[in-house]
Amino acid sequence: MNAYEQYMKEISQPMRNELTEAGFNELTSPEEVDQFINSADGTSLVVVNSVCGCAAGLARPAVRESLENGKTPDNLVTVFAGQDREATARMREHFTGIEPSSPSMALLKNGKVLHFIPREEIEDHEVEEIVTNLTKAYNQYC
């Protein structure tokens, strides 16, 4: 690992922890993504994490808050755009017809996207709006 990669790993660790401490499993390789997609039962929330400001100030806080009450997905996983590139690319292969976007969130069942929240529905929105968007999807599909 070169100095830049090491620096970015150290910088991004608290951003990773924000989701793993909320119960998310990190998928860091294409093989882990494949294993998850092929074995996951029920609904799954996939968060495409990012180092950008809207991930820090909006996406991660909204995701965490959305899981605090009511229905929630059966599985919580995350890939990190710009960090775990191959895993992120493999996960995005399952977002058929959806442009790559980070941060973003996808609600899946049997490897198929039921609901997707792209960056455009995160950036310049309030945390409460994103929580409402997620909660509606959980209530409909979970």
Side-chain angles (χ1 to χ4, degrees), residues 75-117:
N75 307 289
L76 304 172
V77 295
T78 181
V79 293
F80 207 116
Q83 301 297 306
D84 302 319
R85 289 181 177 91
E86 296 84 7
T88 303
R90 181 64 55 88
M91 184 59 78
R92 285 177 171 155
E93 290 175 13
H94 298 281
F95 301 165
T96 307
I98 298 172
E99 289 292 318
S101 178
S102 53
S104 61
M105 302 160 205
L107 190 61
L108 306 179
K109 186 168 187 175
N110 300 323
K112 305 289 184 221
V113 176
L114 302 172
H115 186 76
F116 189 80
I117 302 175

